[in-house]
């Protein structure tokens, strides 16, 4: 471990110029990775080593089968955890949770406990491990918990391992992943519903498997691999952009002469400075047990991506939060800032998060992997049918699940999936599904198909190589990839929805199978009905075209453009029924989320508007006034000597009229913002921000961006797009 300490120290003391970094990084190549990986995780290996056998067994039973955790077991585990953490330099512990802000929260408590002789001992009890009582009054609750009743409870989620977080000041904190709920047991966080939804989909998937005659599986887990896109810019530029600091995105900025049109960034050679950041990021993530696997340049300049190896949904969600947090922390060490906003720069690609999703059995089968036997393929097609049905039936809910103000700027732009939810199945699978609907046999086309040899089940595509990058919900061979999620979002919300809507359709399928005499005939009938009813949601073409927008409209698929509209799907009686039926969210819990997200929309646009007003008043207008003053002086001096001043005059005219327009637009934005601020009712308020404030901001931006085009570089008060995107 000494190497690790040296490396960390060296990284921390480096000045961010990247040079030291590459030397340091070289130290931890190859074999050391196996030593580093999980070194800060209280994982199975550590538990086996440090827990008495019976405690280990009892804890595993809780983790795997949900058996209740006794205080006795918790005490022993807590003590072992504390010793382990202290040996690794920890002084504090925290219940680490995920309130409805979409971020994580932590309150640090030291292990100290006073002794009678005036000293302290380091203590950590089972009770402290299992439960915490943070003051909850400052977290959003959407009316679930009156502020006077501030008590919230955090409870250990022992299915996600405890880990150590290190910061550059040398603090080491033991983090206990927890769920967060109110005194009355209502979920105040993103994790509780996620765990409930995993339970729901597992239960219904098991019923289907049993219905189809599967005798080996006992549990089904939803698996997720979230690919994370992000931007990096130099901190020097970031510090001079109030919009980036306040809103996470640029509210102004004329396009850079070069954008992404050369297509030379995607998968391009990674620059040293970035590569050194990526290596440090990997090391930090590996230490915490995050299976960081892939890194590459993304489409836009200064845009990158990392992808982990997939894991159980709740661990994937925890880890994705750590990924986002660690990216931001490590970037600072390199003199960089990591931007996770969905659209930090107008006119170039935004950032998303591809949520790769599947279902796995505890005996090692991926239920969305076409199998090698007729029986496995029947199973596969039934699960595909369940997804097809769920996505078509609840497209509006999925859309609501990814609705954020940042994502509004990304979806439907010519780079991200449009706001229409459709599914890509690939040519072969689509043909198979269509033939099922028509009652026709699929003729195998050479090597591409698996021959499965019975009449009721068609041959299946062996390798789905056709990758449709424009589809919002794509079958990629052995999993579905939901690509509409925004880069800054927690992945919990969307997986809660996915798990629950699939649980519902699996429930319906299971009920039919359980009643049927001939299971295989029934399975074939279920498939046929599902395909006939829900194929309209399948689209294998280019989702970025206007033709698709028209076609989708003809098919009756919803095309929901804004967050405010999209969120409405969370407030319908169908949504209430669905989430309460599967015990994922009660009516109150669901409604609280609707309220919180609407409020979040209004607050976000308000911050953007205030930042825009501030920048225009204090930076742009003064700079333009200075320039017009200089021009006027030049004109006057030229006229004094009877020299020609036509060009200077015409420039002065153009700049002055833009300044006048900008000033008018500024006033309009101020008026619109004030009006929106005064509206009380949440929906009307959010609508005012969308229809008035957001629009006024856009109008103000065009004037300022036009001015940027005319003003000398030396007088422009903020870094330009060219500076930020190309100077790394
Ligand atoms: P891409 O070409 O989209 O980058 P990859 O094969 O690299 O595709 O996979 C992307 C993500 O999908 C990775 O995080 C990977 O771990 C994840 N993934 C692979 N199999 C599954 C699965 N069965 N369930 C969930 N995620 C998966
Ligand atoms: Mg992908």
């Amino acid at each position: 471990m000494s190497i690790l300490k040296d490396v960390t120290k060296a990284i921390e003391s480096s000045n961010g110029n990247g040079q030291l970094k590459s030397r340091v990084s070289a130290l931890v190549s190859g074999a050391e990775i196996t030593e580093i990986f999980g070194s800060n995780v209280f994982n199975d290996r550590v538990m086996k080593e440090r827990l008495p056998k019976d405690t280990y067994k009892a804890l595993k039973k809780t983790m795997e089968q949900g058996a209740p955790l006794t205080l006795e077991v918790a005490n022993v585990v807590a003590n072992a955890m504390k010793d382990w953490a202290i040996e690794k330099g920890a002084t504090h512990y925290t219940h680490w949770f995920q309130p409805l802000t979409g971020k994580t929260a932590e309150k640090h408590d030291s292990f100290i406990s006073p002794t009678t002789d005036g000293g302290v001992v380091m203590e950590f009890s089972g009770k402290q491990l299992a439960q915490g009582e943070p003051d909850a009054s400052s977290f959003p609750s959407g009316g679930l918990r009156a502020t006077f009743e501030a008590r919230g409870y955090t409870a250990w989620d022992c299915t996600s391992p405890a880990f150590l977080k290190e910061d550059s000041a040398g603090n080491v904190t033991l983090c206990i992943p927890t769920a967060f709920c109110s005194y009355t047991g209502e979920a105040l966080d993103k994790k509780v519903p996620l765990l409930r939804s995993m339970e729901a989909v597992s239960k219904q998937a098991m019923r289907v498997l049993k219905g189809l005659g599967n005798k080996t599986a006992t549990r089904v887990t939803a698996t997720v691999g979230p690919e994370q896109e992000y931007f990096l810019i130099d901190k020097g530029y970031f510090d001079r952009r109030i919009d980036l600091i306040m809103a996470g995105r640029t509210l102004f900025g004329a396009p850079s002469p070069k954008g992404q049109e050369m297509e030379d960034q995607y998968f391009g050679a990674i620059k040293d400075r970035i590569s050194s950041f990526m290596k440090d990021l990997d090391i930090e993530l590996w230490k915490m047990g995050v299976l960081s696997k892939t890194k590459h340049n993304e489409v836009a300049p200064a845009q990158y991506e990392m992808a982990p190896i997939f894991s159980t949904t709740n661990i994937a969600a925890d880890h994705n939060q750590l990924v986002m947090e660690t990216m931001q922390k490590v970037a600072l060490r390199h003199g960089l800032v990591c931007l996770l906003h969905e659209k930090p720069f107008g006119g170039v690609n935004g950032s998303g998060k591809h949520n790769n999703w599947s279902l796995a059995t505890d005996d090692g089968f991926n239920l969305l992997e076409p199998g090698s036997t007729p029986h496995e393929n029947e199973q596969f097609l039934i699960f595909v049918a369940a997804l097809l049905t769920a996505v078509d039936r609840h497209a509006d809910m999925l859309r609501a699940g990814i609705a954020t103000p940042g994502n509004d700027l990304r979806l439907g732009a010519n780079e991200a999936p449009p706001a229409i939810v459709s599914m890509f199945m690939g040519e072969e699978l689509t043909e198979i599904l269509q033939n099922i609907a028509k009652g026709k046999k699929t003729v195998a086309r050479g090597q591409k198909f698996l021959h499965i040899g019975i009449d009721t089940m068609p041959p299946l595509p062996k390798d789905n190589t056709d990758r449709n990058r424009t589809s919002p919900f794509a079958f990629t061979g052995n999993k579905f990839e939901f690509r509409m999620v925004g880069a800054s979002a927690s992945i919990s919300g969307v997986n809660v929805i996915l798990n629950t809507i699939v649980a519902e359709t699996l429930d319906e399928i299971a009920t039919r199978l359980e009643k049927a005499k001939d299971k295989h005939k029934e399975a074939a009938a279920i498939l046929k009905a599902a395909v006939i009813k829900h194929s309209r949601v399948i689209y294998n073409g280019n989702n970025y075209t206007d033709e698709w927008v028209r076609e989708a409209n003809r098919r009756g698929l919803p095309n929901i453009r804004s967050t405010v509209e999209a969120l409405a799907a969370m407030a319908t009686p169908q949504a209430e029924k669905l989430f309460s039926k599967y015990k994922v969210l009660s009516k109150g819990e669901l409604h609280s989320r609707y309220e919180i997200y609407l409020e979040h929309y209004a607050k976000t646009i308000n911050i953007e508007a205030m930042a825009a007003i501030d920048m225009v008043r204090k930076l742009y207008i003064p700079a333009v006034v200075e320039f017009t003053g200089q021009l006027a002086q030049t004109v006057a001096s030229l006229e004094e000597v009877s020299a020609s001043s036509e060009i200077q005059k015409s420039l002065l005219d153009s700049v002055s009229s833009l300044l006048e327009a900008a000033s008018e637009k500024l006033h309009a934005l101020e008026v619109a913002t004030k009006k929106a601020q005064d509206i009380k009712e949440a929906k009307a308020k959010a609508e005012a921000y969308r229809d008035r404030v957001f629009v006024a901001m856009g109008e103000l931006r065009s004037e300022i961006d036009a001015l940027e085009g005319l003003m000398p570089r030396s007088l422009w008060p903020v870094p330009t797009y060219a500076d930020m995107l190309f100077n790394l």
Side-chain angles (χ1 to χ4, degrees):
M1 274 298 96
S2 65
I3 285 186
L4 235 183
K5 279 228 172 83
D6 292 348
V7 170
T8 315
K9 236 190 263 156
I11 287 171
E12 277 152 14
S13 61
S14 97
N15 56 9
N17 64 9
Q19 274 175 358
L20 178 57
K21 288 292 166 341
S22 16
R23 277 209 339 264
V24 167
S25 300
L27 279 175
V28 285
S29 58
E32 264 103 33
I33 294 176
T34 52
E35 195 191 337
I36 288 170
F37 188 83
S39 59
N40 280 352
V41 186
F42 195 75
N43 55 22
D44 200 55
R45 201 191 311 167
V46 182
M47 288 195 279
K48 254 193 207 135
E49 241 170 57
R50 292 181 173 250
L51 295 176
K53 255 206 182 106
D54 50 341
T55 310
Y56 173 79
K57 266 197 202 146
L59 182 60
K60 284 299 266 191
K61 207 164 164 191
T62 303
M63 287 165 68
E64 281 159 14
Q65 296 158 29
L69 185 76
T70 65
L71 193 57
E72 200 190 331
V73 171
N75 275 329
V76 180
V77 177
N79 201 48
M81 228 183 232
K82 176 206 68 184
D83 289 344
W84 169 81
I86 288 175
E87 278 166 37
K88 289 185 160 285
T91 51
H92 289 67
Y93 71 92
T94 181
H95 276 202
W96 185 70
F97 58 104
Q98 298 168 25
L100 293 168
T101 54
K103 307 273 184 309
T104 58
E106 45 193 72
K107 177 183 140 216
H108 297 197
D109 276 298
S110 72
F111 291 118
I112 62 164
S113 169
T115 56
T116 47
D117 59 357
V120 290
V121 285
M122 301 301 256
E123 260 180 19
F124 186 46
S125 69
K127 190 164 176 287
Q128 285 167 318
L129 165 65
Q131 193 180 308
E133 290 179 21
D135 179 346
S137 59
S138 298
F139 294 107
S141 75
L144 270 184
R145 171 190 33 70
T147 25
F148 58 82
E149 200 199 20
R151 196 169 285 185
Y153 287 91
T154 50
W156 182 27
D157 166 20
C158 62
T159 58
S160 179
F163 60 93
L164 300 174
K165 234 201 283 188
E166 299 173 357
D167 67 19
S168 36
N171 297 305
V172 181
T173 306
L174 170 66
C175 297
I176 323 280
T178 53
F180 181 45
C181 44
S182 74
Y183 182 68
T184 42
E186 284 143 325
L188 294 177
D189 72 350
K190 301 228 167 200
K191 177 166 250 184
V192 173
L194 185 64
L195 293 171
R196 291 176 185 159
S197 74
M198 288 168 67
E199 206 48 50
V201 75
S202 173
K203 186 172 157 194
Q204 301 306 334
M206 273 312 301
R207 281 180 61 213
V208 170
L209 288 179
K210 284 211 179 102
L212 290 171
N214 181 310
K215 295 204 168 56
T216 50
T218 62
R219 215 182 151 76
V220 172
T221 314
T223 53
V224 169
E227 301 163 56
Q228 177 74 48
E229 293 179 339
Y230 60 98
F231 279 83
L232 289 174
I233 65 164
D234 192 280
K235 185 162 187 305
Y237 295 132
F238 175 86
D239 288 343
R240 291 168 54 211
R241 295 281 320 206
I242 292 166
D243 44 7
L244 283 178
I245 296 172
M246 296 296 157
R249 74 172 177 105
T250 54
L251 299 166
F252 302 96
S256 146
K258 181 185 173 194
Q260 62 190 52
E261 64 277 28
M262 300 303 278
E263 300 178 327
D264 53 358
Q265 164 79 357
Y266 189 62
F267 282 8
I270 302 173
K271 286 187 180 162
D272 279 5
R273 185 178 184 190
I274 303 304
S275 144
S276 137
F277 156 83
M278 287 175 168
K279 184 130 195 181
D280 283 350
L281 175 66
D282 274 343
I283 292 170
E284 291 303 330
L285 292 174
W286 289 334
K287 283 200 270 185
M288 293 187 288
V290 178
L291 288 158
S292 178
K293 172 85 172 157
T294 310
K295 48 189 182 186
H296 61 81
N297 286 0
E298 254 303 324
V299 171
Q303 192 187 27
Y304 310 93
E305 180 183 299
M306 81 72 73
I309 297 174
F310 70 95
S311 51
T312 314
T313 315
N314 62 324
I315 294 180
D318 283 359
H319 282 182
N320 184 250
Q321 293 290 351
L322 284 179
V323 165
M324 291 194 283
E325 200 181 303
T326 311
M327 279 177 169
Q328 288 173 313
K329 240 166 60 177
V330 173
L332 288 176
R333 289 190 208 156
H334 289 254
L336 298 164
V337 173
C338 170
L339 305 175
L340 292 169
H341 194 281
E342 283 71 24
K343 193 79 177 174
F345 303 98
V348 297
N349 258 35
S351 297
K353 186 137 47 190
H354 292 177
N355 191 79
N356 294 273
W357 183 95
S358 190
L359 291 171
T361 63
D362 57 343
D363 58 339
F365 284 94
N366 176 355
L367 294 172
L368 291 175
E369 172 110 38
S372 51
T373 66
H375 184 72
E376 282 167 13
N377 283 333
E378 175 186 65
Q379 214 176 295
F380 164 75
L381 286 172
I382 283 290
F383 279 90
V384 168
L387 243 104
L388 176 69
T389 307
V391 172
D392 184 36
R393 191 187 283 165
H394 296 296
D396 60 339
M397 205 95 84
L398 282 168
R399 173 70 183 87
I402 51 96
T404 58
N407 229 4
D408 278 4
L409 299 166
R410 175 178 161 257
L411 298 175
N414 198 20
E415 35 129 323
I420 306 161
V421 178
S422 71
M423 288 175 101
F424 168 79
M425 292 283 190
E427 207 184 305
E428 298 96 331
L429 187 54
T430 306
E431 191 184 328
I432 288 167
L433 295 174
Q434 279 166 350
N435 286 345
I436 289 172
K438 289 182 204 138
K440 242 171 74 180
K441 261 175 82 170
T442 303
V443 185
R445 284 186 290 175
Q447 278 300 309
K448 271 189 175 169
F449 285 89
L450 283 173
H451 293 261
I452 57 175
I454 54 165
D455 279 355
T456 49
M457 283 294 135
L460 290 176
K462 205 169 188 174
D463 182 20
N464 193 318
T465 46
D466 188 3
R467 295 288 189 101
N468 183 327
R469 291 281 165 193
T470 67
S471 172
F473 205 111
F475 179 62
T476 51
N478 59 3
K479 61 188 183 292
F480 277 90
E481 182 172 346
F482 187 38
R483 303 199 180 112
M484 288 169 102
V485 189
S488 68
S490 152
I491 58 165
S492 294
V494 75
N495 285 299
V496 165
I497 293 169
L498 254 175
N499 291 343
T500 312
I501 63 177
V502 175
E504 180 193 52
T505 49
L506 289 173
D507 180 7
E508 290 164 6
I509 292 171
T511 305
R512 283 185 63 174
L513 288 174
E514 282 159 6
K515 284 189 196 140
K517 281 208 183 70
D518 183 336
K519 311 281 181 204
H520 300 297
K521 226 170 148 184
E522 186 68 2
I526 290 170
L527 258 175
K528 187 171 175 180
V531 177
I532 289 173
K533 188 148 182 212
H534 300 290
S535 287
R536 64 173 193 157
V537 78
I538 300 175
Y539 184 65
N540 294 331
N542 183 353
N543 283 254
Y544 296 172
T545 60
D546 291 338
E547 183 201 329
W548 168 232
V549 176
R550 283 193 296 271
E551 167 70 13
N553 184 37
R554 202 182 53 73
R555 293 187 192 182
L557 300 177
N559 182 3
I560 305 166
R561 300 309 291 260
S562 81
T563 290
V564 184
E565 264 173 285
L567 289 176
M570 294 177 67
T572 62
Q574 295 96 290
E576 282 166 14
K577 217 173 113 202
L578 172 76
F579 288 108
S580 59
K581 178 165 184 197
Y582 295 97
K583 301 195 167 43
V584 173
L585 288 166
S586 68
K587 193 174 158 185
E589 287 170 334
L590 185 66
H591 199 77
S592 72
R593 277 147 185 83
Y594 172 66
E595 291 271 325
I596 289 170
Y597 300 150
L598 265 186
E599 265 175 32
H600 175 259
Y601 179 85
K603 285 178 186 165
T604 305
I605 308 294
N606 187 61
I607 292 170
E608 290 184 351
M610 300 306 280
I613 291 168
D614 192 73
M615 287 174 81
V616 173
R617 267 206 187 295
K618 298 191 184 141
L619 293 172
Y620 295 125
I621 290 185
V624 179
V625 167
E626 191 183 336
F627 183 48
T628 49
Q630 285 178 7
L631 274 176
Q633 262 178 16
T634 311
V635 171
S637 333
L638 287 170
E639 280 175 357
E640 240 169 64
V641 295
S642 311
S644 156
S645 62
E646 284 318 302
I647 294 173
Q648 289 79 355
K649 265 194 194 148
S650 123
L651 182 57
L652 181 57
D653 271 355
S654 312
V655 173
S656 299
S657 59
L658 280 174
L659 176 62
E660 208 177 299
S663 169
E664 267 167 35
K665 302 285 161 64
L666 172 67
H667 180 68
L669 176 60
E670 285 172 322
V671 171
T673 309
K674 179 79 190 53
K675 273 193 188 149
Q677 284 168 346
D678 290 342
I679 299 173
K680 291 278 169 299
E681 199 273 317
K683 184 146 189 272
K685 191 180 185 94
E687 280 167 353
Y689 274 104
R690 179 193 62 192
D691 299 336
R692 308 259 177 271
V693 180
F694 181 79
V695 172
M697 256 193 315
E699 286 172 357
L700 177 57
R701 177 180 183 151
S702 10
E703 307 299 344
I704 300 293
D705 289 359
L707 279 164
E708 188 182 337
L710 292 181
M711 292 269 297
R713 253 186 102 80
S714 57
L715 286 182
W716 198 241
V718 298
T720 65
Y721 269 31
D723 293 331
M724 292 184 284
L725 291 169
F726 291 95
N727 272 341
L728 273 175

